[in-house]
């Protein structure tokens, strides 16, 4: 998603935003440092065996020259050029989520796909939800999870219906034998820079997908979760630096930060942790369906301090660490990964 700060902020709002940004940065640094730990352990093992992987420059690790392209919503990452990197060939697990049972919404593509692959490689059984039009992307993810020897369940359906959300959790719990991790990741947004041309239907779809669905899913999940379980939300840096072109979307992503914090306080007494991830711009189907101008992705690449938008695989470590026992004192937080953009 594009993050374009409005020019009309008052000085007071700017000051408030700056202090919130600094807060988020601090949290993000702690989060990423912690997420890097297993890689360091792996590196130590590799060094002991004599082959040291080359250190990589984060600016050059992934492309920043995606050709202009557009698809109809909800889009298929199978048809993107280049295809997003969701860790299909690169993510290496070390058993950090062995035996866990996870439900990931939007698990077919983009960020949710990277999370599903990483969770399976860390030893979890995974159910994914997606829209029926996304069956081709979902089938690939199911195949990748099976390849890890983990259970994979495909549950297509529209999250805008409360009854479906309840049945999604019930089916996951029944077929995986329990539910330890819920990742509320599915989301919807549309590029609409003028409120006068913002259809109520798009506003409604944004709120239903981004807020009602996580509310219904969390409610159903918490009723069956045991102490030690976790919920992870996908917010966005638009929560902290709202974009004028994503009015309703930015509002829902800010609401998710508050929802995460409030829910964490509520369910701490049940031993359940609740956290969120706030991505910056990432190369996913969302970038090609949401109706942005042709130069949107190239300007995102150019305006990000690291010089490129992110790839979903670069977010997976945050979702892993928030879900694992090692982060048992982390709850109510939202961690950011945005290439330095916020
Ligand atoms: P994506 O298109 O790959 O994933 C979004 C998924 O949401 C879709 O695959 C679809 O399965 C699901 N979805 C949407 N509406 C649905 C509905 N009504 N019912 C069921 N499923 C539905 O794109 P992504 O970028 O990976 O998005 C994942 C999350 O990351 C979203 O919440 C998005 O807002 C957030 N995010 C993305 C970016 C970015 O730059 N790509 C930045 C910040 C936050
Ligand atoms: Mg998809």
């Amino acid at each position: 998603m594009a993050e374009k700060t409005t020019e009309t902020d008052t000085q007071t709002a700017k000051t408030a935003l700056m202090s919130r940004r600094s807060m988020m940065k601090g949290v993000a640094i702690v989060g990423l440092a912690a997420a890097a730990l297993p890689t360091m352990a792996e590196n130590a093992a590799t060094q002991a065996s004599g082959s040291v992987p080359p250190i990589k420059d984060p600016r050059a690790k992934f492309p920043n020259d995606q050709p202009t392209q557009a698809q109809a919503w909800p889009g298929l990452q199978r048809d993107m050029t280049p295809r997003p990197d969701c860790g299909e060939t690169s993510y290496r697990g070390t058993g950090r989520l062995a035996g866990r049972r996870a439900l990931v919404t939007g698990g077919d593509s983009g960020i949710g796909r990277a999370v599903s692959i990483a969770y399976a490689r860390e030893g979890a059984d995974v159910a994914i939800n997606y829209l029926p039009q996304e069956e081709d992307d979902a089938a690939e993810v199911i195949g990748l999870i099976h390849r890890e020897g983990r259970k994979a369940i495909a549950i297509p359906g529209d999250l805008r219906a409360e009854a479906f959300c309840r049945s999604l959790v019930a089916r996951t719990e029944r077929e995986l034998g329990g539910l330890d991790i819920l990742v509320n990741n599915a989301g919807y947004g549309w590029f609409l820079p003028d409120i006068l041309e913002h259809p109520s239907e798009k506003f409604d779809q944004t709120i239903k997908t981004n807020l009602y669905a996580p509310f219904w899913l969390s409610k159903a999940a918490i009723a069956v979760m045991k102490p030690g379980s976790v919920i992870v939300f996908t917010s966005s840096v638009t929560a902290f630096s709202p974009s004028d072109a994503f009015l309703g979307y930015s509002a829902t992503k800010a609401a998710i930060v508050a929802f995460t914090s409030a829910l964490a306080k509520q369910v701490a007494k049940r031993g359940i942790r609740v956290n969120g991830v706030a991505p910056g711009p990432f190369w996913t189907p969302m970038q090609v369906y949401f109706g942005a101008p042709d130069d949107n992705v190239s300007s995102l690449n150019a305006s990000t301090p690291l010089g490129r938008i992110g790839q979903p695989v670069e977010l997976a470590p945050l979702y892993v660490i928030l879900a694992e026992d090692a982060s048992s004192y982390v709850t109510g937080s939202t961690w950011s990964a945005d290439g330095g953009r916020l």
Side-chain angles (χ1 to χ4, degrees):
M1 275 280 148
E3 286 84 30
K4 215 168 106 217
T5 311
T6 64
E7 302 295 324
T8 50
D9 287 342
T10 61
Q11 197 50 47
T12 320
K14 274 183 180 162
T15 311
L17 186 58
M18 285 309 292
S19 60
R20 245 184 335 183
R21 284 178 185 172
S22 320
M23 238 170 61
M24 286 296 299
K25 281 284 179 201
V27 174
I29 288 163
V30 171
L32 285 174
L37 282 175
T39 308
M40 283 153 53
E42 282 171 30
N43 283 346
T46 315
Q47 276 169 16
S49 74
S51 74
V52 181
I55 188 164
K56 287 189 183 139
D57 183 336
R59 298 168 300 176
K61 201 169 162 191
F62 292 106
N64 64 354
D65 57 355
Q66 294 83 358
T68 301
Q69 57 206 279
Q71 290 188 35
W73 178 81
L76 282 177
Q77 85 169 49
R78 189 194 59 177
D79 297 335
M80 290 173 71
T81 310
R83 288 178 58 137
D85 187 336
C86 294
E88 291 87 347
T89 58
S90 58
Y91 188 92
R92 283 187 298 154
T94 52
R96 293 159 70 184
L97 300 174
R100 298 285 191 275
R101 293 134 326 165
L103 168 61
V104 182
T105 64
D108 59 300
S109 59
I111 296 163
R113 179 190 185 106
V115 174
S116 301
I117 293 170
Y119 280 9
R121 297 214 173 134
E122 296 293 355
D125 293 332
V126 186
I128 61 167
N129 162 253
Y130 51 92
L131 288 159
Q133 307 93 293
E134 300 173 302
E135 195 60 55
D136 289 347
D137 277 353
E140 289 180 0
V141 178
I142 293 295
L144 286 161
I145 299 169
H146 278 149
R147 209 172 299 164
E148 299 307 312
R150 307 311 315 170
K151 274 193 204 156
I153 304 181
I155 313 179
D158 196 321
L159 294 171
R160 286 172 287 173
E162 181 174 4
F164 173 71
C165 288
R166 282 202 304 262
S167 72
L168 175 61
V169 169
R171 198 175 144 196
T172 303
E173 206 225 353
R174 191 171 62 244
E175 296 194 22
L176 294 186
L179 178 62
D180 310 301
I181 305 168
L182 167 64
V183 180
N184 282 310
N185 167 73
Y188 177 80
W190 207 260
F191 189 91
L192 287 161
D194 184 350
I195 191 170
L196 300 183
E197 289 167 18
H198 197 139
S200 296
E201 298 72 36
K202 290 234 176 286
F203 194 74
D204 187 59
Q205 183 166 355
T206 306
I207 308 249
K208 281 268 164 49
T209 312
N210 299 1
L211 281 183
Y212 271 90
F215 168 67
W216 292 324
L217 292 166
S218 302
K219 196 170 167 182
I222 286 161
V224 299
M225 279 175 154
K226 304 273 185 296
S229 301
V230 299
I231 298 178
V232 185
F233 286 87
T234 301
S235 174
S236 164
V237 291
T238 60
F240 307 99
S241 177
S243 160
D244 57 354
F246 294 101
L247 187 69
Y249 178 84
S250 301
T252 61
K253 294 300 181 179
I256 287 170
V257 175
F259 193 92
T260 298
S261 174
L263 186 62
K265 288 175 181 150
Q266 250 191 41
V267 298
K269 60 180 170 294
R270 293 174 178 265
I272 297 172
R273 296 186 298 112
V274 184
N275 292 292
V277 174
F282 278 78
W283 182 238
T284 72
M286 209 169 218
Q287 298 291 356
V288 302
Y289 80 62
F290 67 71
D294 280 353
D295 64 355
N296 186 56
V297 171
S298 57
S299 52
L300 286 175
N301 275 313
S303 65
T304 303
L306 282 180
R308 62 173 178 83
I309 65 175
Q311 293 292 327
V313 66
E314 298 180 281
L315 275 176
L318 286 186
Y319 288 83
V320 169
I321 195 164
L322 287 173
E324 71 176 344
D325 274 349
S327 59
S328 44
Y329 203 59
V330 182
T331 194
S333 297
T334 297
W335 289 355
S336 177
D338 63 358
R341 205 179 152 78
L342 199 58

